[in-house]
């Protein structure tokens, strides 16, 4: 099997190259619209990438939604995704978007620890329930926040991994592993599908119905491992499956926030 092809998204999405520039524009526009309710570059740890942006509703927040960005643990940061907080903010929730140290500087196990700290810091600012979601590699990291081996002081009540990478073994067989450096021990330690869901945490896996077969398999695998619901959203591919987070009435955001 050609694992590099199996986990390539852009070549199979018409107009894929237009998405990142659009994300940059929409994110910047959202931050500008929120004004003082956009608290950017809140530090959560000692590393250069250990910052989160926090977006607040007009009234006291009902809780905190944390969104963890994707990019195969290799690229992007929080600046591209600010607009994905729009739906949560419109529903009266705060939304935190952390950056984290990327590979090859950090291994995935270290990213898990960073995101756990980001969730705790965000929850320390915003009282109430915490929901963690994320996309692709961020779907993996959001799923890790629901795993039994991760101890959190924050009251995480639900995780909603979007297009998650739940079993890391196939990723270790791609060219990306030159930077990710996944080995057998880390695959076992960091694959959510191989780990139990923490008691008291709800989970719902989301994926685009038009995604690559590998991502549909990963999503279904996690839902079966955790005995939780999964939703393949009709018509959505890997780049537009996150758009529901901008809409306060979307099915995706309803799954996240109830």
């Amino acid at each position: 099997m050609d694992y590099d092809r199996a986990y390539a998204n852009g070549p199979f999405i018409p107009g894929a190259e237009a998405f990142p520039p659009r994300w940059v524009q929409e994110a910047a526009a959202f931050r500008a619209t929120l004004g003082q309710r956009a608290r950017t570059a809140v530090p959560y740890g000692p590393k250069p990438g250990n910052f989160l942006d926090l977006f607040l509703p007009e009234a006291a927040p009902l809780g905190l939604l944390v969104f963890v960005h994707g990019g195969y643990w290799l690229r992007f940061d929080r600046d591209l995704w600010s607009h994905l907080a729009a739906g949560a903010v419109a529903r009266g929730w705060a939304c935190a978007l952390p950056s984290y140290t990327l590979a090859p500087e950090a291994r995935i196990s270290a990213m898990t620890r960073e995101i756990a700290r980001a969730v705790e810091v965000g929850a320390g600012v915003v009282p109430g329930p915490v929901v963690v979601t994320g996309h692709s590699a961020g779907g993996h990291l959001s799923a890790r926040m629901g795993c039994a081996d991760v101890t959190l002081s924050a009251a995480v009540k639900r995780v909603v991994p979007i297009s998650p990478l739940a079993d890391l073994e196939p990723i270790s067989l791609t060219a990306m592993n030159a930077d990710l450096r996944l080995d057998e021990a880390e695959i076992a330690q960091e694959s959510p599908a191989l780990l139990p869901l923490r008691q008291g945490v709800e989970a719902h896996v989301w994926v685009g119905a038009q995604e690559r077969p590998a991502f549909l398999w990963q999503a279904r695998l996690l839902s079966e491992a955790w005995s939780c619901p999964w939703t393949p959203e009709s018509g959505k591919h890997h780049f537009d499956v996150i758009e529901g987070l901008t809409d306060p009435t979307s099915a995706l955001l309803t799954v996240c926030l109830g």
Side-chain angles (χ1 to χ4, degrees), residues 186-253:
E186 194 168 37
I187 290 167
Q189 175 187 326
E190 292 296 326
S191 293
L194 305 180
L195 302 166
L197 185 65
R198 190 165 62 254
Q199 188 172 5
V201 178
E202 302 169 359
H204 191 123
V205 182
W206 200 272
V207 68
Q210 297 304 121
E211 297 211 41
R212 304 285 288 133
F215 279 91
L216 288 164
W217 173 79
Q218 291 268 2
R220 182 63 182 271
L221 183 72
L222 184 57
S223 76
E224 289 183 350
W226 283 359
S227 299
C228 73
W230 79 302
T231 299
E233 186 177 5
S234 178
K236 294 297 186 181
H237 54 63
H238 195 71
F239 287 179
D240 64 7
V241 68
I242 50 177
E243 290 177 355
L245 293 176
T246 68
D247 178 1
T249 66
S250 73
L252 172 56
L253 204 60

Side-chain angles (χ1 to χ4, degrees), residues 97-169:
L97 286 82
S99 293
Y100 50 96
T101 308
L102 301 172
E105 184 177 345
R107 297 186 68 152
I108 289 175
S109 54
M111 300 177 204
T112 294
R113 292 190 294 272
E114 289 187 7
I115 294 302
R117 182 59 185 153
V119 170
E120 291 180 328
V121 168
V125 177
V126 179
V130 179
V131 177
V132 185
T133 187
H135 175 240
S136 196
H140 161 268
L141 291 167
S142 67
R144 288 291 286 121
M145 297 304 103
C147 293
D149 68 305
V150 175
T151 302
L152 288 166
S153 60
V156 174
K157 74 168 194 173
R158 183 179 299 120
V159 292
V160 184
I162 304 169
S163 311
L165 295 157
D167 182 347
L168 300 183
E169 184 176 11

